[in-house]
Amino acid sequence: MAAPEGTTIVLKGGRVVDADGERTADVVIADGLVVGVGPDLSGERTLDAAGCIVAPGLVDLHSHLRQPGQEEAETIETGARAAALGGYTCILAMPNTIPAVDHAGIVREVLELGRAAPCDVLTAGAITVGRAGEQLAPLGEMAALGVRFFTDDGAGVADARLMRRAMEYAGGLHHAGRGVVLAQHCEDPVLASGGHMHEGEWSSKLGIPGQPAEAEELMVMRDLALARLTGTRVHFQHLSTAGSVAMVAAAKDAGLPVTCEVTTHHFTLTHASCTGYDPVFKVNPPLRTDADVVAVRQALANGSIDCIATDHAPHTQEAKEAAFDAAPPGMLGLETALALTLTELDLPVAEALALLSWRPAEVLGVEASHGGPIVPGRAANLTVVDLEERWIVDPSALASRSRNTPYAGRELAGRVRHTVLHGEPVVIDREAQR
Amino acid sequence: MAHQHLLSVSDLAVEDLEQLLRLTDAFAEVSRRQIPKVPALRGKNVVWLFYEDSTRTRLSFEQAAKRLSADTMTFSVSSSSVKKGESLRDTVLTIEAMGVDGIVVRHGSAGVPWQVARWLGDRVSVVNAGDGWHEHPTQALLDCYTIRDRCGTVAGLRIGIVGDVKHSRVARSDVLAFTALGAEVTLIAPPTLLPSNIEGWPVRVSHDLDAVLPDLDVVYLLRMQRERMTEHLIPSLREYTARYGLTERRVDAMRDDAIVMHPGPMNRGVEISAEVADLPRSVIIDQVRNGVAVRMAVLYLLLGSGVDRVLGTAPLDADALLTAPEPVVEGAVG
């Protein structure tokens, strides 16, 4: 339940971790804002945070919420609940719904459905009409509603001239004083055509048609060239190969206005997972080689990756009970991303949180209300995480409407205990409150 | 050998392969009888779950099952609930509920027999009758049997597999079986028709048939499909035939005792010339004949109640095993 106006809540006994550093402090919240940070504070309600860290809420740049069109797999409500349980206070819905989010009407619908959700839900808009890659979508009317991120995710924009024009046109769009970002799912559709997993030793052995790493890298290369040509900001989604990561890092060093994300599955799983032909391991971009996983981890450690995204992609059980090459690509991520990052990456906690919270908040342009330092006057979008708690991923216990996690049975360390959204505890002691 | 399913050649130890070949000898003998039928699988029910058109493999399995007195049912995709949108898993569980002992699966997608086996657990035996580009284990077994029958052994032979290895489930299973039995395998194809990453495969690779042909004991030709041209894998069938087709001229370069194999169906005039297909050194019809006996051996080992008698390391007295019950004429048993 929403706290009545004026009620103060204290997060008691935790260690505050944000972009400014770490300190042991209680955090007092009232009217949606942080109102006090310091030792021995009190409030009318107390949420125990002893032994936990108190951090800015996480921000996901890549969630498929499936609404409208595929509500049997996920809805905005269930996806947002999964997000809240995973520590997120803000998620960006991808526009590959049915119909696609490619004009103002659908933007309004998604934002409206998101208003009651236990997590702030923003939506990306499609770059092209129907994500068909043929005609520029009305980016301006969507930007006027606050859409800052545009992508045809699920597919890349294959036509180089169209992508160039989209970038030039987007350079002239602003909302509330900020420019927009074009984001790309990099995949050359002809070179990748018919490929259902990474082309390599395993695809050769398993007889599953593969798609080469170069299908991703060619589009990364092209869009870096177009970013140079147009000067428009580009965000590279779910980079998965050593080559992609290296190219984007080099482009940043050269001063190009680019950012990028990687997913948790691309630093925790490899194409060897496909040996049992379980479509739960089918995802796009596909799971890659050990060397790619090592490269992604190194890039996360040396700061050349801006953020970790989930690419949360729910699919119904029946959709995933098809043959490997007939099943849709995608896996769940919102409820496991934080724990996987904490468990699998050897990063200081603050660095892990930077990748999951304040850096994606900056890329998305929501740093005023999400991911910012925990100081009086800031929006109270917070998550409380018990770093020590070990838990085993149980697909049937997930809040998502779907069950397609590739981590069933895996033991992880670190679990969200509470999540606070605009001052309201939406998760208390691991239980969603709405 | 205590296998629940036959999914991949790689699941078979060398001893398993050899045992299957010995058992095939016994069933080949049954096939030569006046009444080529034994009651070994009487009361067992086998269903053909064929999601892909296949006349030869299905008829071969059907013949094998009938000679073992098993009951068979056919699940036909074209007239089934699959067309109404039923999931693969629901189809499999529906069939199981009717009471079957074995499911023989052919599917255009790699891995489907593994999924079927996972859903059925140990309740039903699953035989892979070909999955996508991946495997076709009974074909590999009949190929090994045919080679052993004609050449005496598989060990030490030099076997060339020629053609579209990339898309071939036959090639993947044959490579596993031939090398397990000690043959030296060379894949002969243009680079576009080889799998992308075969480092680590126990094979040699050549792009030049004429260079290796004189050394081969077995020339195994794969079917060349017309649609490979539209995928830019070869310029034309004419050029393929010129470089990789087994023509009469090329046969002259072969060793006198070398044999020619093909999994069928052949494209006469493309990968094999019409005249070569009919030479005495061509064992293609033997392969088909042996396929029935091999599949009898497989079905018997997976489903037979007398399986315990062929387990273990004791020499196999297959004849005693099979002749114990008198052959019966279908319908004669009450």
Side-chain angles (χ1 to χ4, degrees), chain A residues 83-134:
Chain A
L85 286 162
Y88 290 88
T89 53
C90 181
I91 57 178
L92 178 68
M94 289 294 106
N96 63 335
T97 46
I98 303 171
V101 182
D102 65 355
H103 66 276
I106 309 265
V107 170
R108 281 196 199 94
E109 181 187 351
V110 170
L111 295 179
E112 178 59 35
L113 286 164
R115 247 183 278 287
C119 178
D120 280 356
V121 177
L122 306 185
T123 186
I127 295 172
T128 68
V129 174
R131 298 172 49 253
E134 288 167 2

Side-chain angles (χ1 to χ4, degrees), chain A residues 199 204 206 276-277 321-322 325, chain B residues 109 115 118 134 172 196-197:
Chain A
E199 181 180 292
S204 295
L206 296 169
Y277 295 98
E321 282 170 353
D325 60 8
Chain B
S109 300
Q115 295 174 291
R118 204 154 45 226
H134 182 223
R172 281 182 180 75
S196 60
N197 298 63

Side-chain angles (χ1 to χ4, degrees), chain A residues 366-427:
Chain A
V366 295
E367 69 274 14
S369 48
H370 294 274
I374 301 175
V375 294
R378 302 287 299 215
N381 291 311
L382 306 168
T383 188
V384 177
V385 183
D386 183 344
L387 297 177
E388 305 303 321
E389 185 177 341
R390 303 189 75 83
W391 58 292
I392 291 173
V393 180
D394 172 5
S396 66
L398 298 175
S400 169
R401 266 181 80 78
S402 291
R403 297 284 167 262
N404 56 309
T405 172
Y407 302 106
R410 189 186 282 224
E411 189 182 57
L412 300 175
R415 193 160 197 191
V416 171
R417 189 162 169 200
H418 317 302
T419 300
V420 176
L421 179 69
H422 295 293
E424 178 197 345
V426 288
V427 174

